[in-house]
Amino acid sequence: DAGVIQSPRHEVTEMGQEVTLRCKPISGHNSLFWYRQTMMRGLELLIYFNNNVPIDDSGMPEDRFSAKMPNASFSTLKIQPSEPRDSAVYFCASSFITGELFFGEGSRLTVL
Amino acid sequence: KQEVTQIPAALSVPEGENLVLNCSFTDSAIYNLQWFRQDPGKGLTSLLLIQSSQREQTSGRLNASLDKSSGRSTLYIAASQPGDSATYLCAVMGGDSSYKLIFGSGTRLLVRP
C-alpha cells in the first residue's frame, strides 16, 4: 500500500479564499483523523471519523472549518474563508480501530 | 481530560550514548500508547505501539515501556546514532470509547557525531 496520501503538499492562498485539503487513507483502515500542527500549539486533533461517520469534531476551531468523508477511501478538510492564523501543517492519519496510526506527509498551508 | 507531557523538551547527546525519553499521561484508562518520530518537514512515523495490556515493546535499538498505573511510558534508545536525530512524540489513545489519540509536545533529540 502507498500509505496515507494527502494533497496538496503545499498551498499558498490569500485571506478569504476557500481551501480544500484531501486525504486518501490506507485501504482497510476504518478510522481517519485530521490533525493540525503549529509551533505554538503542537499537534491538535481537529476531527476524527470511524467507518466514515464523524465521531468527534470538538477540535474543529470554528465554523469556518468543515470535514467530510463521503466514502472509506476519501476525506476532505475545508476552510472557508481562510485566515492567516489558519497557517499550519495539516495531517491526515488512518488506523484500524485501536491499532497503529499511520500519518500522511501533511499539507502545509500558508494564508497571506 | 487527558493530558500528555514529555520531558525533556530537548536533548543533545554524543553518538553512542544510551538515552531515555519520558512520557506521562494523566488518565490511566487508555487503549494504547504509541511512540512516533518526526523529521523536519515530514510526517510522523510510527515507531512502537503498546497496547494497554502490554508492558513493553521492542524494535531494534528501541524499547518502549508502559506503566499504566503510574501514567508513564519511556522510550529507550540504545547506542544512539546521528540518524536518530529527530523529534520524538508519544500519544495515548483514550479508553473512554473515544478512540482519540492525544499527543505530547515532543522531545527534540540531537545526536552529535
Side-chain angles (χ1 to χ4, degrees):
Chain A
D1 200 312
V4 178
I5 300 172
Q6 292 187 246
S7 64
R9 291 294 312 280
H10 301 274
E11 175 93 3
V12 180
T13 189
E14 292 189 347
M15 180 175 170
Q17 295 298 305
E18 178 178 296
V19 173
T20 299
L21 307 179
R22 297 172 177 80
C23 175
K24 181 181 188 311
I26 292 173
S27 177
H29 283 182
N30 64 348
S31 295
L32 183 140
F33 303 78
W34 282 101
Y35 284 90
R36 177 172 70 175
Q37 187 176 41
T38 61
M39 288 293 293
M40 292 295 294
R41 301 171 70 95
L43 265 168
E44 302 174 278
L45 177 64
L46 300 177
I47 184 171
Y48 78 96
F49 296 82
N50 192 43
N51 293 323
N52 312 337
V53 176
I55 302 300
D56 187 336
D57 65 356
S58 59
M60 296 286 258
E62 38 194 285
D63 292 345
R64 298 183 296 107
F65 286 69
S66 63
K68 293 182 180 180
M69 192 165 186
N71 57 63
S73 58
F74 184 66
S75 177
T76 59
L77 177 67
K78 186 174 293 186
I79 308 173
Q80 166 63 18
S82 58
E83 297 183 2
R85 59 193 168 118
D86 301 331
S87 298
V89 181
Y90 291 81
F91 287 104
C92 176
S94 71
S95 71
F96 181 68
I97 310 180
T98 59
E100 193 174 7
L101 192 64
F102 293 87
F103 278 76
E105 287 293 308
S107 294
R108 182 175 295 276
L109 173 65
T110 302
V111 183
L112 304 174
Chain B
K1 177 187 173 185
Q2 179 74 271
E3 292 183 4
V4 182
T5 304
Q6 291 188 248
I7 295 174
L11 185 62
S12 178
V13 300
E15 181 177 4
E17 266 202 15
N18 302 323
L19 56 99
V20 174
L21 307 181
N22 296 293
C23 172
S24 61
F25 46 96
T26 54
D27 186 349
S28 61
I30 64 171
Y31 278 122
N32 63 45
L33 182 144
Q34 277 188 254
W35 283 93
F36 294 86
R37 167 185 175 141
Q38 186 175 29
D39 294 286
K42 300 289 188 180
L44 281 73
T45 300
S46 178
L47 297 173
L48 290 164
L49 167 68
I50 310 177
Q51 300 290 354
S52 61
S53 58
Q54 298 173 320
R55 291 195 62 86
E56 66 176 343
Q57 282 287 342
T58 298
S59 176
R61 294 182 294 109
L62 305 179
N63 175 275
S65 66
L66 174 63
D67 184 343
K68 271 191 2 175
S69 60
S70 66
R72 292 181 184 176
S73 176
T74 61
L75 179 66
Y76 175 84
I77 303 177
S80 58
Q81 302 171 357
D84 295 330
S85 299
T87 297
Y88 291 80
L89 300 104
C90 74
V92 297
M93 180 174 285
D96 57 353
S97 301
S98 70
Y99 303 112
K100 287 184 185 182
L101 201 64
I102 306 300
F103 280 83
S105 53
T107 294
R108 286 194 318 279
L109 173 65
L110 174 65
V111 181
R112 307 186 303 274

